[in-house]
Structures are given as C-alpha cells and as structure tokens.
Amino acid sequence: MVLQVQTSTYEAKTQEIAKQLLAATQENRSFFSSLRDQMRWDDKLLAWAMGNPGLRVQLFRFIDTLPALHSKSEIASHLQEYLGDESVELPAALKGMLNFANPDSMPGQVAATTVGTAVETLAHKYISGENIKQVIKTVERLRKEKMAFTIDLLGEAVITEAEAQSYLERYLELMQQLVEASKNWTAIPAIDEADGELIPKVQVSVKLTAFYSQFDPLDAKGSEERVSDRIRILLRRAKELGAAVHFDMEQYAYKDITLSILKKLLLEEEFRQRTDIGITIQAYLRDSEQDTKDLISWLKQRGYPLTIRLVKGAYWDQETIKAAQKHWPQPVYNEKAASDANFETITQLLLENHQYVYSAIGSHNVRSHSRAIAIAESLNVPRRRFELQVLYGMGDKVAKALVDRGYRVRVYCPYGELLPGMAYLIRRLLENTANSSFLRQNLENRPIEELLAPPIVNVETRLIASLQSTDGINRVSHFLGAADTDYAEEEMTRKSAQAFQSVRQQLGRTYLPLINGEYVNTPEFVDSLNPSNFSEVVGKVGLISVEQAQQAMEAAKAAFPGWKKTPAKQRADILRKAGDLMEERRAELSAWMVLEVGKPVKEADGEVSEAIDFCRYYADEIERLDEGVNYDIPGEINRYIYQPRGIVVVISPWNFPLAIACGMTVAALVSGNCTLLKPAETSSVIAAKLTEILVDAGFPKGVFQYVPGKGSQVGAYLVNHPDTHVIAFTGSQEVGCRIYAEAAILKPGQKHMKRVIAEMGGKNAIIIDESADLDQAVVGVVQSAFGYSGQKCSAASRVIVLQPIYDTFVQRLVEATKSLNIGEAELPSTQVGPVIDANARDRIREYIEKGKAEAQLALELPAPEQGYFIGPVIFSEVSPNAVISQEEIFGPVLAVIRVKDFQEALTVANGTNYALTGGLYSRTPSHIQQAQTEFEVGNLYINRNITGAIVGRQPFGGFKLSGVGSKAGGPDYLLQFLEPRAVTENIQRQGFAPIEGAD
C-alpha cells in the first residue's frame, strides 16, 4: 500500500530541516562584500558575470571559444573582440587589463595568460579530472568525506560511428580502472551499504544517444537495435566488474525513445533482475510527472527496483528556443517556480512508492533536499531506497551538511579534457549566475523566508505559460509558419507509415492535364519512376501538345478580366484554404515526394511546411499590398496601387516539387494573374496533387491550369507566347539564361515587356575558420552537402577550411560521412537517398572522374544498385579553380579547399559565377562581421547549416548568375507579379477643397 501523509505535515518538517541545513551552509558575510583585490581571477570573473548581464553573455561566449584558440595572441585578440563590445560595461580591473594596442604585445600576452588560467581554474572547479588518474584521486577524496560518486565522461558530440564505438570502449576502460582502484578502498558504511545490502562502490553515468551516431526517433527501430547492442555489452561488463550504470536524460526529442529502449531492454531475461541500473527524470518537462507514474507502473510489472534520478533539467534555453523556432508546444515549464513545484510533486511520488523504486534526488536547492528528507523521514523510507545527489563543484557545503545529517550523498563527477568539457562548464556557469539560481540567491544573503518559501505558480502566470507553450516563447515576427512534424512523437511516425501504405495503393495511376477546368486526354504519356527503385512506376502523366498549350493560353486570357476584378481578400482566402488542405494532407504529400523524387521523409515533411507557408504568407502579403499607399496633400488625393500583370507561366523544378511549384504558382494567382504550371517531367505526379488542392480550394477554371509537357516544345511555346506576361522559372543556369534571352524578344502582337523571375542554382561554399566549433561545423557541413543527396540549389558543394584546422576537420568530416545511412528514401533510417534519374547519375559520375584527376579522393562511399544511387564523395586538397570547385554538380560531391587565412577564404568563396547561399562557422566576431559585408551570397548562414530556408524568416534567392528577381518568401516577392500605378485626383472645386477635421 502506498502511504499518504498530508502535504502540510511535510511543509512544517521541510522548513525545520531546511533552516538547519542553511545555518550549516551560510557564510557570515555577503558574497559580494568579499570581492576584494586579493580574490582570485576566476572568482572575480564569476562575480562580475553575476552583476552585469552584457558581460555575462560576452564572457561566456569567449569561454566557449577559448579551447579552439591555439596561441596567446589569438586569446588576447578574442578577449578584446568579445569584451570590448559596446554592450559590455567592464569593471575597472578588466578594462585596464584589456587596454593593449596589439595582441602580440607583452600586456596582451599577460591578459591572455591571466584570463586563460582563470578559466582553466574555473573549469577544474566543475570538472573532476582530465584523465582517469585525476578522477580516481578526486573520488578518493570524496570518499574520505563520506560521499559516493557517479562518473560522467565528457567528450565531443558523437557524430561518427567510430566515436560511438570509442565512447563505449572508454566507458569499459573507465569501469575497469575504477573497480581496480576500488579494491584498495576501505569500506565506508555510510555509502557502501544500507539495510544489510552492499551498494556498488563504482557508478558511471552514460548518455544513450552517444552509443549510435545516427540516433533518430524517426528511425526508432534502427536506433533501438544499434544502441541496444552496445548497451548490452556495457551492462554485461558492469555486472562482471560489480559496477552500477546510470542512464542520463538528454534533450526532449530523445526522451520518449530513450525511455522506450530502456524499458524494453531491462525487461529482457538477462537484465530483468538487475537493480544496479538507473534512469533519469527531468522535472522541468511538462510531461515528467506522467512519465514518472508510467515508470513506477512499469517497475511494479518488472518486479525489481531500479534507481530513478530526479533532476530539474539542464537544457532549458535550448528546449525553449528549439520549440519557438519549430512552432512546437513548449516542452518545459516557462518559469522556475513551476519546475520547482513539479520537482516536489515528483519527489513525493517517488518516495511514496519506495518499495518499487530507489529515489536519487539531485539538486543544489536546500529546500528541494529538505523536502525530500521530510517526506522520507515521515514515511520511514529505508536508507537503501533513498539518496541525495549534487553536481561536482556545486553545493559543496550543502553536500557536507547532508552527510553530517547521516544521509547518503552521491556526487555527479564529469571528467574529460577541458576542450570538450567547455559546453558542460558553460551550463554550470549559467546555472550559478542566473538570477533565479538558489546558489546565487543564497550567496547574496536573501532572507531565509524567501529562500525557503514553497514554490507558487499563480493561475495567471500558468495561463500565460500554457498559451506560450503552443506558440513558442513569443511571436518573433507577425508571420507564424507551419510546424514541421515532430517525429519524436510515436503517433506521428505511425501516421507517416499509414500514409505510405495508402499512397502505395495508388501507384501507377494516370494523371491528366487540367485545361480550362477540365482534365483532358493527351496524345503522349510518360512514366514517372521511383528513383529508389526504378522498376516502380509512381504514375503515368499525360503530356500536352502545343495545340493544347494554345487552348490553355486562350482559357487564361478569357479568365483574366474576371479574376483581376476579384477582391484581394477573396483571392487570399482561397490561398489560405489551400494551405489548410495541405496541412490536412501533410503525411500523404510527404509520401508522394519520397516515392516520386527520392526525398527522405523528414525533408519531404519540411517541404510540405514550406508550401503551406507560401500560401499563408502570400495571402497576408497581398492584403498588405492591396491597401496601397496614400501620398495625399491638401486639395489632392494621391494613391499608389497595384494591379495584376496578366498571364504567368510557372516552370517548376523536380528538386522541390511541391514547395517551389506551389510558391511560384500561388504568388502569381493571389496577385490576380492567371497561371499555367508546367512542372518538371520527373515530378509531375506531385504537381498533379498540388493541382487537386488548388482546385478544391476554389481557384476558378482558366485561372489556374496544370500543363505538364516537354520543356523543349511546350515550355518553349509558352515562354515565347505574346500573351505571356511573367515567366517564373527555377532550374539550371543554361535553361534560365535561354528563357531570359527569349523573353527579351518582342513577338508580333505583343504589347508589353515580359518579366522573368529565374532562380538558377549555385556553387555554395561554407567557410570554417580556426575558431569554429568543429562538432557543430562537421554536422552542419554533412547536412548541407549530403542532405537530399546534394540536390538542393542551396546545398554546399565547397568547404573552405583554414590551414590550422584543415587536417582535423577533413578527418572528422570523412568519419561523419562514413556513418551516414544510404538507402531507399522511404526507409526511416535513410539520410542519403537516390539522385533523381539516370541522366543525373551519369552526369555526377563524370564529375567524380574529373575530381579524381584534379584532387585527392578522401572518401567515396558505395551505393545500392537497384536505384539511381551515388554514395557521398569527398575530395580534399582541391584547387579553387578546379572544375569541381567551379561548376554546379547537383549531387553528393564535396570539394574541400585549404586556405591560409580568412581573407583568402572569402576571396575563394566569392570566386565563382554564382551567389546563392554561403555559410560560415566561426566564433571570431570580426570574421562574422566581415563575412556579413563581404561574402557575396543572397543567403548567408552563420554557425548553422545552409539549407532549409523558412518563409518569412529567411527569404530565399541569390544574385550574379544564381538568379534574377526578388527573394521567395520575402516582402518584395509579390511585387514581381504586379504593375504599380499612381492615381492623382485634384479635389478642389471652384477654389475650395474638403478639409479634414473641419465642421
């Protein structure tokens, strides 16, 4: 039976215990009053960061960069760049230290040494050692203080399979050495035994995702298989050695799959009776109470207890930002009091179920620990089933006071090199210096009543938080885009699988052109094939003849006067309806894209979001433009207004078969033009699906027409037709330039100049400088170069790397690329699918042969035979002028170029005919600033991947030979489909005019 005791009883006891603990931990003087000149620099830095938000941000950014800096001059110049920022109010001591003219000067070297040493000292406060020898020393000291430990291995992000294997091996080695050392340790009853049961002296904490580099909730089955194989090896070895293993919890996206994998694994016969294993719950998550209840029910079924470590959670900023960017519900509580209250609720839940679960309460908040003790003492929870935990270097005095009261305290000890440990250090520093941090408030000598008050979340705050939870933190701009599918939710992966089943039953159907509201038969048909398996026909598409193209033009011409007069609000509402229909058919549309153009599932889903966004954004935009502009003066009305141009021909590509086709088409339609959509042959089925949606949304006959046909015949006819007003094209530079030239020729009967909007590709480069975060850079380059097999106009095909980090970067890039899964686009594990067709495959192979002749082949991955597959290829030591550095390949081929300095990197980046997208990975403020002004690209991405532009957030388009026209998804785009007019009316009559405001 679960014991229930009134919460009010717990509260009185909580206050009593907390006051005793606080008395034992508080110093007699204020922390800030102790900031005297003889304080160590590491203490000064922390104290200053607490007192100055601007300095805090810049200082922590500098600390994040520090491990990548290889000389004192680099440290000195970065110190000046970060802390010399105008937003930073510097304390006098720091200002004086930064007042050097040259980073190479003696004062510069002294500043670098002083701050470098201070940060290292800070790191050693929170990191228990850089190697196993130092860790053993640390834990032996902790044991003398009657504290148990758990060791966490800090390291680079696991982005390659070699790193995942190494992670496992390092833990096996760590356990071996710790157990070996423990043979010489004297038993300490307070931590090594309880209730007559021995407790393992050695415990390690591991992160599940680090056991497989391609861990992904979408590929739940594949991730589970790969991770479980390595975990079994770890758990078997831990049993042989007598060590305990605890599983940490990471980002929210991995929570459900982590719990699912562990629940399955720990019910296997081999592991079911193990009680030396732990799982973690994060109280800042809104669904953590339910997760805890589910775990307790599962433990009852299992029949053997496990440890549940309860923590607040360490990724609050990251989770809130990600949810806001993705337009997903906020997974975390928006205010600290709500997390604290939830922490206490779950603490009670765990301790009231102590016969099924060992509770480990991890906190630095005296109230949280006191609450746990009050409940445990009230319920007489056995000592074995309850312990308190703190992080190494945090709350040391609290830990000592808890030990003195006779409780088992375990210290969470991260260890590893300082460089990979810096991200961990910054999380600790943020925690220590945050206004809401208990440790900081305690140091500031806040009143005891305030420190120990129960966490209260008022109803109004909770209501606001719940509204925010569905909207992101706040609406950054007026336009709120569609949310991508969150495949971390099991229901969404199930929906996706059902959509594939449904679509597969429709394969092979015939799709006819839509002319003047009727689906018409055609003399010629073409099969659209699945590039993952070219024996599979996705659909048969009717190709129109030139005569039928003429009929379509006549229908558009007839429909134009009526559509032109249709109010903008009415046109916008039809567009919004189309967006809603796409949202309803999201999973189905994704499945069609996966099967017709070989786009992996997540990327197809993102494309549906983009298409929906185009509908909603352009609907908003036309309503804005329809208001016109008033330039009135006394006696005269001046209106600036827009009118549609006429007939628009849209020629859309196969690589974004829904989003780009939709974006160009609906922009033309909502602006009041009649529009003919001629899609690429290889993606005509998806265009037919878009047609169904636009017809269902309510576009009248003749206003929108779907006219698949041969580009050389039908495309040329439509481009050259005298009644065509605008040509919106996305495709190759060769075809784009030809359209541009042909559109400039005035045809007989033509009474206007044609407008051409052309997006024509790029030779996109990412620069990696010596201060870059290589974990971030490698992942970003792999995604940018090999996502959708390099077939995005925005894809990276060049990486320009500075000399000092070139070799390290190439090595990690090759390993990360080797770890990618290549296969049919439909498989949830696939990251690299096929290329579009045999022509593309053969052309890319020719470029690979050219690359082999002019550069070093760093990697060429094998690919499946049954589809149009090409494995990723990386060339190193590539000349900036090589063919593979200059020409657009449109496939998974990447050239890595070595440069001596940042100026050369920019020169090389700008040294092609294109200017579409570009990227920079850097933590040097002056480099970031210089790239913003000198990197010649339409879309520049800093410290992130360079693909996946979002409507209304990153309007997309380039210049030079990358294209002509305004950026798609931006405030100028619709203007290209409109003619501006100015109307002036003199409103004076016989010398008088209406005067506003007069009676």
Side-chain angles (χ1 to χ4, degrees), residues 750-905:
Q750 186 179 321
K751 298 186 174 73
H752 57 270
M753 297 302 293
K754 292 175 184 174
R755 163 68 64 93
V756 176
I757 305 159
E759 199 267 89
M760 303 184 295
K763 190 67 189 167
N764 311 308
I766 297 177
I767 296 173
I768 318 282
D769 80 4
E770 63 272 64
S771 68
D773 177 334
L774 286 194
D775 284 351
Q776 199 183 43
V778 170
V779 171
V781 167
V782 168
Q783 285 173 349
S784 303
F786 303 122
Y788 193 33
S789 303
Q791 298 175 112
K792 299 178 184 179
C793 7
S794 54
S797 56
R798 298 180 295 154
V799 193
I800 300 162
V801 187
L802 269 65
Q803 166 69 35
I805 53 157
Y806 185 90
D807 294 332
T808 308
F809 174 79
V810 171
Q811 183 193 349
R812 289 199 77 198
L813 175 68
V814 165
E815 283 300 325
T817 307
K818 270 186 198 170
S819 306
L820 295 173
N821 297 317
I822 304 164
E824 293 181 32
E826 190 180 348
L827 300 173
S829 59
T830 293
Q831 284 122 345
V832 181
V835 296
I836 189 66
D837 59 18
N839 289 341
R841 180 194 59 198
D842 297 345
R843 192 192 70 253
I844 295 163
R845 282 178 178 166
E846 284 172 21
Y847 274 111
I848 292 169
E849 290 312 308
K850 285 177 189 168
K852 287 175 180 175
E854 58 187 9
Q856 288 181 23
L857 181 67
L859 178 70
E860 183 175 18
L861 286 181
E865 291 295 320
Q866 81 282 12
Y868 302 121
F869 288 96
I870 289 188
V873 175
I874 298 172
F875 289 104
S876 62
E877 307 301 349
V878 186
S879 157
N881 300 316
V883 171
I884 58 168
S885 298
Q886 290 292 318
E887 294 182 15
E888 186 176 42
I889 300 170
F890 228 61
V893 180
L894 183 62
V896 191
I897 301 166
R898 188 193 294 261
V899 291
K900 63 179 185 299
D901 57 32
F902 191 67
Q903 190 54 58
E904 187 188 351

Side-chain angles (χ1 to χ4, degrees), residues 158-443:
V158 171
I159 55 180
T160 75
E161 275 307 274
E163 288 164 356
Q165 184 57 31
S166 164
Y167 184 79
L168 170 63
E169 287 164 6
R170 288 169 70 197
Y171 263 108
L172 296 175
E173 171 72 5
L174 172 65
M175 290 193 304
Q176 171 79 41
Q177 295 213 25
L178 284 169
V179 168
E180 202 54 47
S182 74
K183 291 173 182 170
N184 301 318
W185 297 343
T186 311
I188 299 167
I191 54 175
D192 294 336
E193 58 182 77
D195 309 326
E197 192 183 324
L198 289 178
I199 299 170
K201 290 178 184 173
V202 171
Q203 187 188 103
V204 294
S205 287
V206 300
K207 290 172 178 56
L208 198 91
T209 60
F211 290 104
Y212 177 41
S213 64
Q214 309 305 311
F215 194 92
D216 184 354
L218 174 61
D219 180 27
K221 190 167 178 287
S223 297
E224 182 186 327
E225 283 169 10
R226 300 295 289 273
V227 161
S228 299
D229 286 345
R230 287 185 168 131
I231 291 173
R232 287 187 190 98
I233 294 168
L234 182 79
L235 293 180
R236 283 170 194 143
R237 186 63 182 137
K239 187 179 185 182
E240 288 167 15
L241 294 167
V245 175
H246 196 98
F247 291 95
D248 281 332
M249 195 57 78
E250 303 169 80
Q251 287 85 351
Y252 181 69
Y254 302 133
K255 172 183 69 72
D256 288 348
I257 184 175
T258 296
L259 291 172
S260 167
I261 289 171
L262 290 174
K263 281 178 181 178
K264 272 190 202 167
L265 192 79
L266 297 175
L267 279 183
E268 289 176 10
E269 205 50 50
E270 182 181 358
F271 305 112
R272 184 168 188 152
Q273 295 182 25
R274 295 276 291 273
T275 58
D276 55 353
I277 297 168
I279 296 174
T280 305
I281 289 285
Q282 297 160 311
Y284 69 178
L285 294 179
R286 293 169 186 267
D287 45 14
S288 52
E289 184 183 352
Q290 189 55 51
D291 287 337
T292 307
K293 288 176 178 171
D294 294 345
L295 270 176
I296 290 167
S297 300
W298 171 77
L299 283 168
K300 288 177 184 176
Q301 174 205 341
R302 184 175 185 262
Y304 297 90
L306 292 171
T307 298
I308 293 182
R309 175 196 290 152
L310 178 64
V311 296
K312 297 277 168 66
Y315 304 94
W316 189 88
D317 292 43
Q318 199 178 341
E319 298 291 9
T320 50
I321 289 166
K322 182 179 180 181
Q325 287 183 347
K326 294 274 192 185
H327 310 303
W328 288 345
Q330 282 290 343
V332 292
Y333 289 109
N334 291 73
E335 59 161 357
K336 188 174 180 298
S339 295
D340 287 345
N342 193 44
F343 189 91
E344 294 192 4
T345 301
I346 297 173
T347 298
Q348 184 170 335
L349 189 58
L350 291 173
L351 290 169
E352 287 177 347
N353 286 279
H354 60 78
Q355 59 270 63
Y356 309 111
V357 62
Y358 300 152
S359 302
I361 310 299
S363 178
H364 307 107
N365 185 322
V366 168
R367 178 182 165 88
S368 299
H369 281 309
S370 304
R371 183 73 171 185
I373 293 169
I375 299 168
E377 287 184 355
S378 302
L379 299 177
N380 292 316
V381 174
R383 278 188 61 243
R384 173 67 188 97
R385 292 174 178 264
F386 168 59
E387 71 179 32
L388 301 161
Q389 297 194 352
V390 294
L391 289 171
Y392 181 77
M394 308 251 303
D396 296 350
K397 292 191 178 73
V398 176
K400 187 179 183 311
L402 292 168
V403 170
D404 291 344
R405 279 188 73 101
Y407 287 97
R408 184 168 72 253
V409 173
R410 189 175 302 279
V411 181
Y412 185 95
C413 299
Y415 103 91
E417 293 170 34
L418 295 189
L419 189 149
M422 217 40 88
Y424 174 85
L425 170 64
I426 289 189
R427 284 208 300 274
R428 297 291 73 81
L429 294 178
L430 284 168
E431 202 171 326
N432 260 337
T433 57
N435 288 325
S436 58
S437 154
F438 180 90
L439 291 171
R440 174 172 177 171
Q441 291 175 353
N442 190 14
L443 287 169

Side-chain angles (χ1 to χ4, degrees), residues 396-664:
D396 296 350
K397 292 191 178 73
V398 176
K400 187 179 183 311
L402 292 168
V403 170
D404 291 344
R405 279 188 73 101
Y407 287 97
R408 184 168 72 253
V409 173
R410 189 175 302 279
V411 181
Y412 185 95
C413 299
Y415 103 91
E417 293 170 34
L418 295 189
L419 189 149
M422 217 40 88
Y424 174 85
L425 170 64
I426 289 189
R427 284 208 300 274
R428 297 291 73 81
L429 294 178
L430 284 168
E431 202 171 326
N432 260 337
T433 57
N435 288 325
S436 58
S437 154
F438 180 90
L439 291 171
R440 174 172 177 171
Q441 291 175 353
N442 190 14
L443 287 169
E444 290 172 348
N445 276 357
R446 297 274 180 94
I448 284 178
E449 294 70 24
E450 188 185 324
L451 279 175
L452 302 182
I456 294 167
V457 187
N458 66 53
V459 178
E460 190 182 338
T461 311
R462 182 159 280 184
L463 180 65
I464 291 166
S466 69
L467 288 171
Q468 286 175 331
S469 81
T470 54
D471 242 14
I473 308 174
N474 52 35
R475 296 193 176 203
V476 181
S477 65
H478 73 285
F479 178 71
L480 195 69
D484 291 348
T485 300
D486 183 359
Y487 290 107
E489 292 179 22
E490 210 176 315
E491 184 196 339
M492 294 303 167
T493 51
R494 207 168 32 246
K495 229 182 201 175
S496 174
Q498 285 166 355
F500 274 106
Q501 279 181 345
S502 164
V503 166
R504 281 203 161 280
Q505 287 164 5
Q506 301 170 53
L507 294 185
R509 290 186 181 176
T510 299
Y511 297 90
L512 297 174
L514 179 77
I515 296 176
N516 201 20
E518 302 291 331
Y519 286 105
V520 298
N521 226 320
T522 58
E524 193 181 348
F525 288 83
V526 67
D527 287 346
S528 181
L529 307 177
N530 176 356
S532 293
N533 176 6
F534 43 67
S535 62
E536 190 167 63
V537 176
V538 175
K540 292 178 184 302
V541 180
L543 302 180
I544 67 167
S545 63
V546 170
E547 292 73 31
Q548 288 173 314
Q550 175 61 38
Q551 290 164 18
M553 287 300 288
E554 286 165 6
K557 203 172 173 181
F560 179 61
W563 185 239
K564 178 184 180 179
K565 288 177 188 159
T566 304
K569 171 80 174 71
Q570 200 175 322
R571 300 195 301 255
D573 285 343
I574 297 174
L575 214 52
R576 291 189 181 102
K577 173 87 186 293
D580 294 344
L581 290 171
M582 281 183 209
E583 188 63 82
E584 286 169 24
R585 294 178 63 176
R586 174 186 283 276
E588 176 215 339
L589 290 169
S590 295
W592 281 113
M593 271 187 276
V594 171
L595 294 173
E596 191 180 25
V597 298
K599 186 166 278 198
V601 178
K602 268 191 192 168
E603 301 201 46
D605 178 75
E607 184 170 340
V608 180
S609 295
E610 188 179 0
I612 295 166
D613 287 350
F614 278 133
C615 291
R616 293 172 179 169
Y617 180 78
Y618 292 148
D620 290 353
E621 281 294 292
I622 197 63
E623 289 179 349
R624 174 179 70 83
L625 293 171
D626 188 53
E627 290 172 8
V629 185
N630 288 346
Y631 295 117
D632 298 347
I633 57 170
E636 188 173 275
I637 292 173
N638 290 290
R639 293 275 291 135
Y640 187 82
I641 56 175
Y642 298 97
Q643 69 179 30
R645 285 178 176 268
I647 295 172
V648 178
V649 172
V650 171
I651 301 173
S652 64
W654 52 261
N655 65 331
F656 282 87
L658 180 66
I660 294 181
C662 175
M664 295 193 294

